[in-house]
Amino acid sequence: MNGLARRVMRRPAAVASTTWLGLVLVTAVGAPLFAPHGPLDQDLNHVLSDPSSGHLLGTDELGRDILSRLLYGGQSTLLGVVEALLVYLVLGVTFGLAAGYLGGWVDWVVTRTAELMFALPGIIIVLVVLSVFPSNLSAAMITFGVLGSPGLVRLLRAQTLSVREELYVAAARVSGLSRPQILRRHVLPRMISMVIVQAALFAAIVVTIQAGLGFLGFGVQPPNPSWGGLVADASNVIDTDPWMLVPAGVPLVLTVIALGLLGDAIRDAAIENWSLSKMAAPAAGVTARPAAAPDTDTDAGVPASDGAALLSVRGLSVEIGGTPVVQNVSFDLMPGQTLGVVGESGCGKSVTALGILGLVPGGGRISGGQCLFEGKDLATLSPAELAAVRGSGIAFVSQEPMVALDPTFTVSAQLAEAVRRHRRIPRRAARARVLELLDLVNIPDPAAVARRYPHQLSGGMAQRVAIALALAGDPRLLIADEPTTALDVTVQAEILALLRTLQDETGMSVLIVTHDWGVVADLCQRAVVMYAGQVVEHADVNAMFGQPYHPYTQGLLAANPHLAVEGEPLPTIPGTVPAPSDWPSGCRFSQRCPYATEECSAGPVALTRLQADRLSRCLHTDQLVLEGGRR
Amino acid sequence: MTTLDVRDLTVEFRQGRSRPPLRAVDAVSLQIGAGETLGLVGESGSGKSTLGRAILGLTPAASGSVHYEGKDITRAGLRERRALSATMQAVFQDPYSSLNPTRTIGQTLAEPLLVHRRLERAETVEQVRTMLDRVGMPGDTAERYPSQFSGGQRQRIAIARALMLSPHLVICDEPVSALDLSIQAQVMNLLADLQRELGLSYLFIAHDLAVVRHLSHRIVVLYRGQVMETGPAARVYSRPGHPYTEALLAAAPVPDPEQQRARRTARTATTLAPPNTGGCPFAHRCPHTVDRCRTERPALRPTGDSGSAVACHRFAELHPSPAETSNGKVPLV
């Protein structure tokens, strides 16, 4: 908890509000010590006086010292806040967690009761309570806490319902923790920020409500001081002595603001320990496009752009938040061909694919290189020109088909919109084209599927619809980012077969991003293997599977359980892919490589051409081939 | 002694008042011996995860029984479950949601100890460190939060948590499917090492037959909540007895372009007819379907191979004698 306090106090707003609230607390509790006068002492010689050395904040119409009345009045305010807040938190947290976690009849009773209480007019109930217990502020504040708690109950119940489904709660149950232990250790900590913010807001409301009651003459009775009463007194003399509103109102306003700021600060500090701060994105750099020449001097082996290629990427580099995540990627994709981009997560393969489309995620930008699509450099196009290429020239299919589909529109409406965006044809013709597209992706009964909403489709069916959506603009290039990873293996086989048929029928090229060697073997003619943001091997698929030229390719192929030998451990690559900030200056794979020597970490290793169309970024390919290649 | 004995377990989910309950697990029986790994394979919706959750008591069973080390735990109460948790543990698929982001790794790993063993603080810290070391995590792991680790590291931590109390049985629900290839191999080897050293039994749930084959002694193939086939892992993988197992094997692309080309041409397209009720659940996708398959549900019958059983009316017809299919090749549909 000390750590939390220290983190809270690193925030200036928190320091300021804590100071103010502390000052209010200390001076109110210690009012007899600090107040220069008694709260009821009258000095009829100085009625409604301005601030002076005798009365620092002036006096009211009976000559009572305003500062002293403010300090004494704070006592009842604070007591009221504490009472209301305690009731609010105890009821809200207990019933919110219970309803969300236990469910069943507990949930039913709690939710119905909360709904009933929402329907009650709160302030009127408080006034009724005050008429039953005249000028008993505690009764009023406890009532107010009870009436406010349903709000917290509802919030916590909803939050608990979602946290309850988290796997770590299941894991805690399997570990044998009891319900109270699970609630205290695993559910409540996730709510704490929300509870704190709600509590601070509620405290602020209590302060104002109390002032309102005091202003109306309920609660603390004159001549005893209260903040609300002071405002009421000040409003009576507003025409003769407007100054009095300042000492009466400003502390009220400051306290409400301080409570809000402190709540925010505690919330931020409470979660900063375990939540990862998002990578700071440079706001200005997002759309800036560099005109830099491709930086290919380290990769002498890369041949010049092939004029026949549909897509020719040269020296593509991408930065996210100022950190390079993809560096100097080059490859060609011939018309009608399929190129696989292979690697593990964190190697930059998806970023490369999205970079070609000018859709770098996370506020990143292309920092160098060119992407020639049919001779046009995509990296230099304006957003409008790029938008024209997307869809009609290049289409995209993602891993999660549901992301591509809008849940609020039918399949037919979404496909028709895409069709009409690329071809100006009447609605009726567009609808006919929609059925054609659905038929093209082998959907049985296209007319029925067209009427459905995305949530009514199975995963495989949704991916077919997403592919149909991509085909709406008759693209020459389809970029597919792990299109079958989320699907069952039998459905995957169907989607792969579909992609192949579509390619035969339309002659389009496919760039497929995948981590599955089976998909590469099934679909691709050539493959690019990426590691830590670089291309490490680039070859014809048959040649690569037969004899990898880079140790990473070799290790990744060998780690595949399809090739496992019974009873023997799987060959592994030790360690993990380094994060972009930890890339070594030499060979990025050297730390995990069985062939690594001192030479490897001395400096960057170039992508070199070893045969007519085989590239590898390794100093020890000879040795790799000699020692048997694929184990 | 059999560590886990599941008999005719059925799990149902309510689907609202007007619709009949969804039978996610349909009369499944399976046994796991001490030190044995049973692989449970199936596609999404096959009920494999639900079966695991029912064994752990996270989902109630509609009928059937679960015996653990000779004791009926089908309807074990909260207290009994807490006692069970000392020897039955789980590793879940998603390494991101299975660790509480608000608690340090040390706090998470110490939790099972707090419940079952009242240890001195120093002893707890020592045990946590030993276990982290055992799963290959660095010493300072205990003070850090889950967000500072990668998926593979988190899965190692989740395995460490499961092993804190030296369990006899660990239910592994797709423990490697969210991991990258090289990390997947590391975690699979770790699971195999731990089994060898500690004599653990695993129920290993996965959708990838190649992964399951490598780790399991025996395999159970599930489809729509029913057991299609069961038998020794090597036999199921090399000589599948059920058309569904054949379809699963044929669909998984192999990392070899030439072999994959041959498999592709041999594969027939499956139809997308709606599933039928009453008969064999696979009848609508099966290339060998006859009328009987659509009307009568096939029972799981022993095939003659040791410990193998297949639920297919046409098994004897399609697999006339072991000699013809024993050449080790995967027979293609």
Side-chain angles (χ1 to χ4, degrees), chain A residues 485-546:
Chain A
T485 306
L487 304 175
D488 276 324
V489 63
T490 50
V491 183
Q492 163 174 299
E494 288 162 18
I495 297 288
L496 292 179
L498 170 66
L499 284 176
R500 183 190 317 286
T501 333
L502 288 174
Q503 222 172 350
D504 289 346
E505 283 170 18
T506 63
M508 67 179 177
S509 306
V510 175
L511 177 76
I512 186 165
V513 173
T514 181
H515 67 275
D516 187 339
W517 284 115
V519 172
V520 177
D522 190 73
L523 215 57
C524 304
Q525 284 88 38
R526 295 186 65 79
V528 167
V529 181
M530 288 190 68
Y531 185 77
Q534 292 177 322
V535 173
V536 294
E537 181 163 2
H538 183 179
D540 175 79
V541 164
N542 287 321
M544 191 188 282
F545 277 90

Side-chain angles (χ1 to χ4, degrees), chain B residues 141-221:
Chain B
T141 305
E143 288 87 54
R144 293 159 72 186
Y145 286 88
S147 60
Q148 292 163 294
F149 295 99
S150 68
Q153 291 173 316
R154 286 175 193 226
Q155 207 58 304
R156 284 171 187 272
I157 294 165
I159 292 171
R161 170 177 57 193
L163 298 183
M164 283 309 288
L165 295 168
S166 344
H168 306 162
L169 173 68
V170 181
I171 312 273
C172 304
D173 188 0
E174 304 245 17
V176 297
S177 23
L179 306 179
D180 273 317
L181 210 49
S182 72
I183 310 300
Q184 172 177 303
Q186 291 172 8
V187 172
M188 282 169 71
N189 288 345
L190 174 66
L191 286 169
D193 289 348
L194 291 168
Q195 177 168 52
R196 210 170 312 121
E197 278 170 38
L198 308 170
L200 300 172
S201 303
Y202 290 134
L203 175 64
F204 191 89
I205 302 170
H207 64 272
D208 188 337
L209 249 173
V211 168
V212 171
R213 190 230 10 190
H214 187 66
L215 277 181
S216 308
H217 302 103
R218 286 184 304 121
I219 292 182
V220 169
V221 181

Side-chain angles (χ1 to χ4, degrees), chain A residues 274 344-345 488 490 522 573, chain B residues 43-44 101 180 182 186 260 264:
Chain A
W274 50 268
E344 296 176 282
S345 43
D488 276 324
T490 50
D522 190 73
I573 308 172
Chain B
E43 296 180 289
S44 51
D180 273 317
S182 72
Q186 291 172 8
Q260 180 58 22
R264 205 163 56 216

Side-chain angles (χ1 to χ4, degrees), chain A residues 162-512:
Chain A
S162 68
V163 173
R164 189 178 66 170
E165 297 306 316
E166 297 270 10
L167 278 177
Y168 62 79
V169 173
R173 286 169 70 183
V174 172
S175 294
L177 264 64
S178 65
R179 272 177 187 161
Q181 281 174 317
I182 291 176
L183 286 173
R184 200 180 66 238
R185 289 163 173 272
H186 293 291
V187 181
L188 200 54
R190 289 292 296 275
M191 321 269 152
I192 216 77
S193 57
M194 188 188 281
V195 172
I196 289 171
V197 173
Q198 291 300 318
L201 286 177
F202 189 72
I205 294 173
V206 172
V207 170
T208 48
I209 287 285
Q210 248 188 359
L213 288 175
F215 182 81
L216 294 172
F218 297 100
V220 177
Q221 289 302 306
N224 290 322
S226 74
W227 287 9
L230 275 173
V231 177
D233 292 348
S235 67
N236 286 337
V237 294
I238 195 161
D239 44 351
T240 53
D241 183 19
W243 159 254
M244 198 178 150
L245 259 184
V246 176
V250 168
L252 203 60
V253 174
L254 284 182
T255 308
V256 170
I257 292 176
L259 282 168
L261 288 178
L262 187 63
D264 282 354
I266 297 178
R267 188 228 10 232
D268 293 348
I271 62 172
E272 80 170 12
N273 233 4
W274 50 268
S275 70
L276 265 187
S277 56
K278 291 239 161 60
M279 228 187 270
V286 177
T287 49
R289 288 188 169 273
D295 164 33
T296 48
D297 48 3
T298 56
D299 292 342
V302 178
S305 282
D306 188 330
L310 177 73
L311 176 73
S312 180
V313 176
R314 283 295 173 276
L316 179 69
S317 299
V318 179
E319 279 181 10
I320 296 179
T323 314
V325 290
V326 166
Q327 283 184 329
N328 234 337
V329 169
S330 303
F331 55 78
D332 289 324
L333 178 54
M334 296 297 156
Q337 296 255 310
T338 305
L339 175 77
V341 180
V342 197
E344 296 176 282
S345 43
C347 286
K349 52 192 197 307
S350 286
V351 176
T352 303
L354 289 167
I356 294 168
L357 287 161
L359 297 172
V360 182
R365 63 184 193 98
I366 293 175
S367 54
Q370 55 180 10
C371 305
L372 292 175
F373 177 71
E374 298 179 328
K376 260 186 295 186
D377 185 2
L378 300 179
T380 56
L381 293 187
S382 70
E385 290 168 315
L386 203 53
V389 175
R390 287 185 206 137
S392 57
I394 308 179
F396 180 71
V397 175
S398 74
Q399 173 175 349
E400 188 44 73
M402 288 302 177
V403 174
L405 304 175
D406 185 332
T408 56
F409 290 98
T410 60
V411 167
S412 161
Q414 302 188 39
L415 284 174
E417 188 196 12
V419 167
R420 278 164 58 87
R421 176 159 163 17
H422 298 297
R423 293 185 201 177
R424 309 205 172 279
I425 52 173
R427 266 170 220 285
R428 188 182 300 262
R431 225 162 279 153
R433 173 75 181 141
V434 165
L435 297 185
E436 246 177 70
L437 283 169
L438 289 177
D439 190 49
L440 192 65
V441 294
N442 288 339
I443 283 183
D445 198 0
V449 172
R451 281 193 298 272
R452 288 194 205 156
Y453 285 90
H455 73 268
Q456 295 168 310
L457 304 173
S458 66
M461 202 74 101
Q463 191 60 292
R464 282 168 199 270
V465 172
I467 293 174
L469 194 64
L471 295 177
D474 301 312
R476 267 94 66 207
L477 168 62
L478 180 69
I479 296 183
D481 186 1
E482 305 255 12
T484 59
T485 306
L487 304 175
D488 276 324
V489 63
T490 50
V491 183
Q492 163 174 299
E494 288 162 18
I495 297 288
L496 292 179
L498 170 66
L499 284 176
R500 183 190 317 286
T501 333
L502 288 174
Q503 222 172 350
D504 289 346
E505 283 170 18
T506 63
M508 67 179 177
S509 306
V510 175
L511 177 76
I512 186 165

